[in-house]
Amino acid sequence: MNVFDNLMLPNGSSIKNRIAKAAMEENMADADQAPSAELMRLYQAWADGGAGLLITGNVMVDGRAMTGPGGVVLQNDRQLAKFKRWAQVGRSGGAQFWLQINHPGRQMQANLGQKTWAPSAVPLSMGSLSKHFTTPYAMTAEVIADVIGRFARTAQLGEQAGFTGVEIHAAHGYLLSQFLSPLTNQRTDEWGGSLENRARLLLEVVKAVRAVVSAQFAVAVKLNSADFQRGGFSAEDARQVVELLNELDVDLVELSGGSYEAPAMQGEARDGRTLAREAYFVEFARDIRKVARMPVMVTGGVRRRPIAEQVVQSGVDMVGIGTALAIDPNLPHDWLQGRNTAPELPPITWKNKAMASLASMAVVKFQLRKLSQARQPNPKVSPLRALVLQQIGNALRTRQYRKWVAGQSA
């Protein structure tokens, strides 16, 4: 088995190879919080690059709940024509194209001006950066029901637009991940306490999505292999959640790790563990593959073909690649043609880990902006310059978002 073998999904559809463009948050919505022309150009580069599966950055199920001010929102059919165009672009090279659908829960910036909901009223702990996030409100039964319905509606609209699947985001410290973790879920009702209760929202979302889409439409789940915080969601918890997902019609589970508080998806743990330099979560994925009835994908740090091949040959079904494809969108074609390129960004060694994490994300987004302008990426960009540009862009997008919100309620 190698990375260019076809992968059959439980729904009967196939993916042309084992390389996925993993989700990266682009923050490139237009003034209507819909896919912009820049976003289309970015995905055309990836569609032409040869990956078998493209997964979008966060697509928000509720315009009041945003992971970032430039996020794309799909909550009704008003902008469906733009999503149809996006789907056509993403599928133009023969890849499957999935929407990653998400709700941030407490991981939403305070300056967006929206009420923040979470399983429990537990604020983020990010040192000096904590002030940028408000203490969330514990979700009521009505809010939980609304969120379940919104995930289903977004998936349904995604299928209407021509996407071939959705990935339900239950990792990286966002809402569904918050419900899974005992650190952030301190509820005593049917949505908290035991792992079965903490997993209930994820399972209900999967069932609601599956009920409104066709059998051929892929439904995947992105799950933390662990959240890398002491007392949090563990590798054993992840294994048990996958066993619960086995009972539902799930076509793929993607394993990643971490959250805003412990950005393991960037190779940083907060619980004392040392992550591999590449393929951070592959050991977790191999363990979970033993119990999973659906294909398993692992994302985090892969940039070289020999490492990708090792992952697949170890029994993991698919390799998700993010940063390397932000630098070289043609990486799958390069590998297929025998060019073993291995794009990477220089490490950021700032003492302030939280700022280094923000700078790391800013450097990646700098590459995405270059691609969206049909220009060459610049992996050697100064992290400080990328961070400053990102902050300026976020300020402009925040004003744009607040104007959009005001228009929605007018």
Side-chain angles (χ1 to χ4, degrees), residues 314-344:
S314 75
V316 178
D317 302 279
M318 198 150 199
V319 179
I321 302 176
T323 300
L325 282 171
I327 303 168
D328 180 5
N330 290 309
L331 191 63
H333 278 326
D334 291 346
W335 286 357
L336 188 60
Q337 292 167 11
R339 293 192 294 270
N340 289 323
T341 49
E344 67 177 324

mmCIF file of all heavy atoms in Angstrom, residues 314-344:
data_model
loop_
_atom_site.group_PDB
_atom_site.id
_atom_site.type_symbol
_atom_site.label_atom_id
_atom_site.label_comp_id
_atom_site.label_asym_id
_atom_site.label_seq_id
_atom_site.Cartn_x
_atom_site.Cartn_y
_atom_site.Cartn_z
ATOM 1 N N SER A 314 1.866 1.648 7.873
ATOM 2 C CA SER A 314 1.629 1.188 9.245
ATOM 3 C C SER A 314 0.169 0.831 9.490
ATOM 4 O O SER A 314 -0.171 0.347 10.569
ATOM 5 C CB SER A 314 2.075 2.265 10.235
ATOM 6 O OG SER A 314 1.145 3.338 10.265
ATOM 7 N N GLY A 315 -0.689 1.095 8.501
ATOM 8 C CA GLY A 315 -2.096 0.746 8.641
ATOM 9 C C GLY A 315 -3.040 1.925 8.730
ATOM 10 O O GLY A 315 -4.257 1.761 8.644
ATOM 11 N N VAL A 316 -2.494 3.126 8.906
ATOM 12 C CA VAL A 316 -3.330 4.330 8.896
ATOM 13 C C VAL A 316 -3.726 4.605 7.445
ATOM 14 O O VAL A 316 -2.897 4.533 6.535
ATOM 15 C CB VAL A 316 -2.577 5.534 9.510
ATOM 16 C CG1 VAL A 316 -3.435 6.795 9.447
ATOM 17 C CG2 VAL A 316 -2.187 5.223 10.958
ATOM 18 N N ASP A 317 -4.999 4.903 7.214
ATOM 19 C CA ASP A 317 -5.529 4.911 5.844
ATOM 20 C C ASP A 317 -5.191 6.158 5.041
ATOM 21 O O ASP A 317 -5.103 6.102 3.810
ATOM 22 C CB ASP A 317 -7.055 4.765 5.900
ATOM 23 C CG ASP A 317 -7.466 3.502 6.610
ATOM 24 O OD1 ASP A 317 -7.456 2.440 5.985
ATOM 25 O OD2 ASP A 317 -7.775 3.567 7.820
ATOM 26 N N MET A 318 -5.035 7.288 5.720
ATOM 27 C CA MET A 318 -4.878 8.539 4.984
ATOM 28 C C MET A 318 -3.987 9.499 5.756
ATOM 29 O O MET A 318 -3.974 9.500 6.988
ATOM 30 C CB MET A 318 -6.255 9.164 4.743
ATOM 31 C CG MET A 318 -6.287 10.197 3.656
ATOM 32 S SD MET A 318 -7.888 10.243 2.848
ATOM 33 C CE MET A 318 -7.418 11.061 1.338
ATOM 34 N N VAL A 319 -3.257 10.329 5.010
ATOM 35 C CA VAL A 319 -2.352 11.308 5.603
ATOM 36 C C VAL A 319 -2.873 12.708 5.305
ATOM 37 O O VAL A 319 -3.055 13.068 4.144
ATOM 38 C CB VAL A 319 -0.925 11.159 5.023
ATOM 39 C CG1 VAL A 319 0.002 12.186 5.631
ATOM 40 C CG2 VAL A 319 -0.398 9.759 5.254
ATOM 41 N N GLY A 320 -3.108 13.481 6.354
ATOM 42 C CA GLY A 320 -3.512 14.866 6.192
ATOM 43 C C GLY A 320 -2.297 15.775 6.231
ATOM 44 O O GLY A 320 -1.451 15.654 7.116
ATOM 45 N N ILE A 321 -2.203 16.677 5.260
ATOM 46 C CA ILE A 321 -1.070 17.604 5.172
ATOM 47 C C ILE A 321 -1.607 19.028 5.133
ATOM 48 O O ILE A 321 -2.500 19.332 4.342
ATOM 49 C CB ILE A 321 -0.207 17.310 3.933
ATOM 50 C CG1 ILE A 321 0.304 15.866 3.974
ATOM 51 C CG2 ILE A 321 0.956 18.291 3.829
ATOM 52 C CD1 ILE A 321 1.084 15.458 2.741
ATOM 53 N N GLY A 322 -1.059 19.878 5.993
ATOM 54 C CA GLY A 322 -1.509 21.262 6.047
ATOM 55 C C GLY A 322 -0.427 22.225 5.612
ATOM 56 O O GLY A 322 -0.371 22.658 4.466
ATOM 57 N N THR A 323 0.492 22.546 6.544
ATOM 58 C CA THR A 323 1.502 23.578 6.289
ATOM 59 C C THR A 323 2.309 23.322 5.020
ATOM 60 O O THR A 323 2.566 24.242 4.237
ATOM 61 C CB THR A 323 2.448 23.688 7.494
ATOM 62 O OG1 THR A 323 1.671 24.041 8.655
ATOM 63 C CG2 THR A 323 3.501 24.749 7.271
ATOM 64 N N ALA A 324 2.715 22.086 4.782
ATOM 65 C CA ALA A 324 3.525 21.791 3.595
ATOM 66 C C ALA A 324 2.775 22.129 2.312
ATOM 67 O O ALA A 324 3.381 22.572 1.323
ATOM 68 C CB ALA A 324 3.954 20.332 3.600
ATOM 69 N N LEU A 325 1.447 21.946 2.313
ATOM 70 C CA LEU A 325 0.649 22.281 1.123
ATOM 71 C C LEU A 325 0.363 23.778 1.038
ATOM 72 O O LEU A 325 -0.015 24.267 -0.028
ATOM 73 C CB LEU A 325 -0.656 21.485 1.123
ATOM 74 C CG LEU A 325 -0.521 20.028 0.674
ATOM 75 C CD1 LEU A 325 -1.808 19.256 0.905
ATOM 76 C CD2 LEU A 325 -0.125 19.950 -0.801
ATOM 77 N N ALA A 326 0.544 24.497 2.146
ATOM 78 C CA ALA A 326 0.445 25.954 2.086
ATOM 79 C C ALA A 326 1.685 26.545 1.419
ATOM 80 O O ALA A 326 1.620 27.615 0.806
ATOM 81 C CB ALA A 326 0.286 26.528 3.493
ATOM 82 N N ILE A 327 2.800 25.838 1.544
ATOM 83 C CA ILE A 327 4.052 26.289 0.930
ATOM 84 C C ILE A 327 4.151 25.792 -0.512
ATOM 85 O O ILE A 327 4.567 26.523 -1.411
ATOM 86 C CB ILE A 327 5.262 25.784 1.733
ATOM 87 C CG1 ILE A 327 5.173 26.260 3.186
ATOM 88 C CG2 ILE A 327 6.569 26.255 1.104
ATOM 89 C CD1 ILE A 327 6.163 25.576 4.105
ATOM 90 N N ASP A 328 3.750 24.542 -0.739
ATOM 91 C CA ASP A 328 3.830 23.935 -2.075
ATOM 92 C C ASP A 328 2.526 23.197 -2.363
ATOM 93 O O ASP A 328 2.382 22.019 -2.030
ATOM 94 C CB ASP A 328 5.015 22.974 -2.147
ATOM 95 C CG ASP A 328 5.147 22.306 -3.524
ATOM 96 O OD1 ASP A 328 4.375 22.672 -4.444
ATOM 97 O OD2 ASP A 328 5.995 21.420 -3.682
ATOM 98 N N PRO A 329 1.548 23.873 -2.991
ATOM 99 C CA PRO A 329 0.272 23.220 -3.271
ATOM 100 C C PRO A 329 0.378 22.065 -4.253
ATOM 101 O O PRO A 329 -0.523 21.240 -4.339
ATOM 102 C CB PRO A 329 -0.591 24.354 -3.842
ATOM 103 C CG PRO A 329 0.383 25.344 -4.374
ATOM 104 C CD PRO A 329 1.577 25.268 -3.473
ATOM 105 N N ASN A 330 1.510 21.994 -5.000
ATOM 106 C CA ASN A 330 1.719 20.923 -5.973
ATOM 107 C C ASN A 330 2.455 19.727 -5.383
ATOM 108 O O ASN A 330 2.914 18.848 -6.129
ATOM 109 C CB ASN A 330 2.506 21.458 -7.183
ATOM 110 C CG ASN A 330 1.675 22.401 -8.028
ATOM 111 O OD1 ASN A 330 0.558 22.076 -8.417
ATOM 112 N ND2 ASN A 330 2.220 23.572 -8.292
ATOM 113 N N LEU A 331 2.552 19.665 -4.077
ATOM 114 C CA LEU A 331 3.335 18.621 -3.436
ATOM 115 C C LEU A 331 2.930 17.206 -3.861
ATOM 116 O O LEU A 331 3.813 16.390 -4.176
ATOM 117 C CB LEU A 331 3.235 18.767 -1.912
ATOM 118 C CG LEU A 331 4.197 17.924 -1.078
ATOM 119 C CD1 LEU A 331 5.647 18.302 -1.359
ATOM 120 C CD2 LEU A 331 3.889 18.083 0.411
ATOM 121 N N PRO A 332 1.632 16.856 -3.927
ATOM 122 C CA PRO A 332 1.289 15.498 -4.379
ATOM 123 C C PRO A 332 1.796 15.195 -5.786
ATOM 124 O O PRO A 332 2.327 14.105 -6.038
ATOM 125 C CB PRO A 332 -0.242 15.485 -4.313
ATOM 126 C CG PRO A 332 -0.574 16.498 -3.270
ATOM 127 C CD PRO A 332 0.436 17.589 -3.463
ATOM 128 N N HIS A 333 1.656 16.154 -6.709
ATOM 129 C CA HIS A 333 2.189 15.952 -8.059
ATOM 130 C C HIS A 333 3.709 15.799 -8.033
ATOM 131 O O HIS A 333 4.274 14.966 -8.757
ATOM 132 C CB HIS A 333 1.802 17.129 -8.968
ATOM 133 C CG HIS A 333 0.423 17.034 -9.542
ATOM 134 N ND1 HIS A 333 -0.164 15.826 -9.881
ATOM 135 C CD2 HIS A 333 -0.495 17.993 -9.860
ATOM 136 C CE1 HIS A 333 -1.376 16.045 -10.367
ATOM 137 N NE2 HIS A 333 -1.605 17.349 -10.358
ATOM 138 N N ASP A 334 4.363 16.606 -7.196
ATOM 139 C CA ASP A 334 5.826 16.507 -7.087
ATOM 140 C C ASP A 334 6.228 15.098 -6.661
ATOM 141 O O ASP A 334 7.140 14.490 -7.240
ATOM 142 C CB ASP A 334 6.354 17.518 -6.065
ATOM 143 C CG ASP A 334 6.225 18.961 -6.529
ATOM 144 O OD1 ASP A 334 5.981 19.180 -7.732
ATOM 145 O OD2 ASP A 334 6.367 19.870 -5.688
ATOM 146 N N TRP A 335 5.557 14.598 -5.626
ATOM 147 C CA TRP A 335 5.881 13.258 -5.126
ATOM 148 C C TRP A 335 5.615 12.189 -6.180
ATOM 149 O O TRP A 335 6.410 11.273 -6.365
ATOM 150 C CB TRP A 335 5.068 12.967 -3.870
ATOM 151 C CG TRP A 335 5.531 13.700 -2.650
ATOM 152 C CD1 TRP A 335 6.609 14.523 -2.539
ATOM 153 C CD2 TRP A 335 4.912 13.680 -1.352
ATOM 154 N NE1 TRP A 335 6.710 15.015 -1.260
ATOM 155 C CE2 TRP A 335 5.690 14.520 -0.509
ATOM 156 C CE3 TRP A 335 3.787 13.039 -0.827
ATOM 157 C CZ2 TRP A 335 5.362 14.715 0.834
ATOM 158 C CZ3 TRP A 335 3.463 13.243 0.498
ATOM 159 C CH2 TRP A 335 4.241 14.071 1.332
ATOM 160 N N LEU A 336 4.498 12.317 -6.868
ATOM 161 C CA LEU A 336 4.136 11.328 -7.877
ATOM 162 C C LEU A 336 5.164 11.274 -9.000
ATOM 163 O O LEU A 336 5.433 10.214 -9.569
ATOM 164 C CB LEU A 336 2.748 11.642 -8.437
ATOM 165 C CG LEU A 336 2.121 10.608 -9.370
ATOM 166 C CD1 LEU A 336 1.959 9.260 -8.682
ATOM 167 C CD2 LEU A 336 0.760 11.099 -9.872
ATOM 168 N N GLN A 337 5.764 12.425 -9.287
ATOM 169 C CA GLN A 337 6.755 12.510 -10.365
ATOM 170 C C GLN A 337 8.184 12.260 -9.872
ATOM 171 O O GLN A 337 9.144 12.478 -10.603
ATOM 172 C CB GLN A 337 6.653 13.882 -11.033
ATOM 173 C CG GLN A 337 5.346 14.056 -11.800
ATOM 174 C CD GLN A 337 5.074 15.506 -12.204
ATOM 175 O OE1 GLN A 337 5.952 16.357 -12.094
ATOM 176 N NE2 GLN A 337 3.866 15.772 -12.655
ATOM 177 N N GLY A 338 8.284 11.795 -8.613
ATOM 178 C CA GLY A 338 9.589 11.400 -8.111
ATOM 179 C C GLY A 338 10.413 12.497 -7.466
ATOM 180 O O GLY A 338 11.566 12.277 -7.095
ATOM 181 N N ARG A 339 9.830 13.692 -7.345
ATOM 182 C CA ARG A 339 10.555 14.783 -6.681
ATOM 183 C C ARG A 339 10.190 14.757 -5.194
ATOM 184 O O ARG A 339 9.090 15.139 -4.816
ATOM 185 C CB ARG A 339 10.180 16.129 -7.304
ATOM 186 C CG ARG A 339 10.652 16.276 -8.741
ATOM 187 C CD ARG A 339 10.512 17.717 -9.226
ATOM 188 N NE ARG A 339 9.122 18.130 -9.311
ATOM 189 C CZ ARG A 339 8.359 17.990 -10.392
ATOM 190 N NH1 ARG A 339 8.857 17.419 -11.475
ATOM 191 N NH2 ARG A 339 7.108 18.409 -10.391
ATOM 192 N N ASN A 340 11.108 14.311 -4.372
ATOM 193 C CA ASN A 340 10.818 14.167 -2.939
ATOM 194 C C ASN A 340 11.068 15.465 -2.188
ATOM 195 O O ASN A 340 11.908 15.556 -1.290
ATOM 196 C CB ASN A 340 11.646 13.027 -2.345
ATOM 197 C CG ASN A 340 11.137 11.674 -2.830
ATOM 198 O OD1 ASN A 340 9.940 11.481 -2.987
ATOM 199 N ND2 ASN A 340 12.057 10.758 -3.094
ATOM 200 N N THR A 341 10.325 16.484 -2.591
ATOM 201 C CA THR A 341 10.429 17.773 -1.922
ATOM 202 C C THR A 341 9.818 17.675 -0.529
ATOM 203 O O THR A 341 8.934 16.856 -0.272
ATOM 204 C CB THR A 341 9.708 18.858 -2.738
ATOM 205 O OG1 THR A 341 8.399 18.387 -3.080
ATOM 206 C CG2 THR A 341 10.460 19.154 -4.029
ATOM 207 N N ALA A 342 10.298 18.530 0.372
ATOM 208 C CA ALA A 342 9.841 18.500 1.764
ATOM 209 C C ALA A 342 9.735 19.929 2.303
ATOM 210 O O ALA A 342 10.576 20.381 3.074
ATOM 211 C CB ALA A 342 10.789 17.677 2.623
ATOM 212 N N PRO A 343 8.735 20.677 1.878
ATOM 213 C CA PRO A 343 8.631 22.085 2.284
ATOM 214 C C PRO A 343 8.406 22.223 3.794
ATOM 215 O O PRO A 343 7.653 21.464 4.396
ATOM 216 C CB PRO A 343 7.419 22.593 1.498
ATOM 217 C CG PRO A 343 6.632 21.377 1.164
ATOM 218 C CD PRO A 343 7.614 20.269 1.014
ATOM 219 N N GLU A 344 9.073 23.210 4.386
ATOM 220 C CA GLU A 344 8.872 23.457 5.807
ATOM 221 C C GLU A 344 9.109 24.916 6.121
ATOM 222 O O GLU A 344 9.737 25.646 5.353
ATOM 223 C CB GLU A 344 9.790 22.580 6.652
ATOM 224 C CG GLU A 344 11.274 22.891 6.536
ATOM 225 C CD GLU A 344 12.118 22.037 7.459
ATOM 226 O OE1 GLU A 344 11.668 21.745 8.581
ATOM 227 O OE2 GLU A 344 13.242 21.669 7.051
#
